[in-house]
């Protein structure tokens, strides 16, 4: 029988060892210093090294996100899963709040009335918060499309967009819309992404401020 080697690690050492393996497998690749922890956090979450090439950062977006988080910006997600994946301890340290409107009754009623997705209508409700907002979108391209429409037509301007929905229908196109807009963004180009990726990016941004 083949011998299988198991690393004996304490719970607190498992994450550290995971990041050591990620660094080893990246084989000396270098990234912008503020982007590197985000890229590695997403790889840690997904075990997918394609994100070393797929994540696109608009100029100065990490510094901009830090300023938003330090000055009372809120976070809006398109799924409950992304919301639950955001680290609550880091949120508390920053005094930040996270919202998700996908299950709200008024969102469901309006979506049915207009024949729209709840994700799109939830973005409209989020815009009415009238606060600097980081949008963390990991599932619904319709949320990104609606954000782009509001930027184009309504003068609404998000504080930042994390555009990482996963899938096949309109996913690539929705991400390209965000890349074409002059809005601070982190985008997972292509079909890959997910609610876990959206949460991982938010967490990585917060950890840069709270784990110093």
């Amino acid at each position: 029988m083949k011998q299988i080697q198991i690393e004996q690690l304490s719970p607190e050492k498992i994450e550290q060892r995971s990041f050591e393996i990620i660094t080893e497998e990246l084989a000396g690749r270098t990234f912008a210093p503020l982007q590197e922890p985000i890229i590695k956090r997403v790889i840690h979450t997904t075990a997918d090294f394609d994100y070393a090439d797929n994540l696109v950062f608009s100029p100065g977006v990490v510094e901009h996100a830090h300023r938003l988080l330090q000055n009372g910006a809120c976070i809006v997600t398109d799924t409950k899963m992304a919301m639950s994946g955001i680290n609550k301890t880091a949120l508390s340290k920053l005094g930040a709040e996270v919202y998700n409107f996908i299950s709200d009754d008024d969102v469901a009623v309006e979506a049915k009335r207009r024949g729209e997705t709840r994700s799109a209508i939830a973005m409209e409700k989020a815009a009415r918060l009238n606060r600097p907002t980081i949008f963390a979108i990991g599932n619904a391209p319709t949320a990104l499309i609606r954000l782009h429409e509001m930027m184009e037509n309504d003068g609404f301007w998000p504080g930042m967009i994390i555009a990482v929905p996963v899938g096949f229908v309109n996913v690539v196109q929705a991400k390209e819309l965000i890349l074409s807009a002059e809005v601070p963004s982190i985008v997972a180009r292509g079909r890959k992404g997910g609610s876990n990726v959206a949460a991982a990016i938010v967490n990585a941004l917060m950890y840069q401020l709270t784990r110093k």
Side-chain angles (χ1 to χ4, degrees):
M1 180 180 292
K2 181 181 177 181
Q3 290 288 91
I4 299 175
Q5 299 297 319
I6 303 294
E7 292 189 64
Q8 300 298 323
L9 297 170
S10 62
E12 60 269 19
K13 292 291 186 181
I14 291 173
E15 181 177 275
Q16 178 184 329
R17 179 62 184 134
S18 295
F19 277 90
E20 289 171 355
I21 292 169
I22 290 166
T23 299
E24 291 164 8
E25 295 201 18
L26 285 169
R29 288 190 61 177
T30 58
F31 307 94
L34 288 177
Q35 296 175 14
E36 182 174 352
I38 298 166
I39 294 166
K40 288 183 175 179
R41 176 68 54 181
V42 172
I43 293 172
H44 176 260
T45 297
T46 61
D48 188 341
F49 283 83
D50 284 352
Y51 286 103
D53 300 302
N54 293 351
L55 286 178
V56 180
F57 296 78
S58 67
V61 66
V62 177
E63 298 94 328
H64 178 69
H66 289 169
R67 288 192 294 271
L68 288 171
L69 289 167
Q70 290 172 318
N71 289 283
C74 61
I75 300 160
V76 169
T77 70
D78 64 327
T79 64
K80 295 287 189 184
M81 183 182 295
M83 185 180 187
S84 67
I86 292 172
N87 187 285
K88 303 307 183 290
T89 300
L91 273 175
S92 178
K93 286 181 179 179
L94 291 167
E97 297 176 289
V98 60
Y99 297 90
N100 180 272
F101 301 118
I102 197 73
S103 298
D104 289 10
D105 290 342
D106 56 337
V107 168
V109 168
E110 184 67 6
K112 184 174 182 180
R113 185 185 73 81
R114 290 164 52 184
E116 301 264 13
T117 68
R118 287 185 295 162
S119 298
I121 302 304
M123 295 303 102
E124 296 177 5
K125 183 169 182 176
R128 295 195 293 273
L129 289 169
N130 289 319
R131 291 174 58 186
T133 304
I134 296 172
F135 288 86
I137 310 302
N139 183 70
T142 54
L144 296 181
I145 293 166
R146 182 52 45 84
L147 286 172
H148 187 264
E149 289 171 349
M150 289 192 295
M151 286 188 284
E152 289 280 296
N153 303 323
D154 303 329
F156 173 69
W157 211 250
M160 175 191 173
I161 299 176
I162 297 168
V164 294
V166 60
F168 299 95
V169 178
N170 290 328
V171 166
V172 173
Q173 296 91 326
K175 291 174 180 178
E176 292 299 319
L177 280 176
I178 300 306
L179 284 170
S180 71
E182 294 183 5
V183 62
S185 64
I186 300 174
V187 179
R189 209 163 205 161
R191 292 173 169 175
K192 292 184 178 182
S195 295
N196 58 334
V197 175
I201 292 172
V202 172
N203 287 339
L205 290 167
M206 294 195 300
Y207 293 159
Q208 288 176 318
L209 297 171
T210 61
R211 291 187 173 183
K212 294 180 179 179

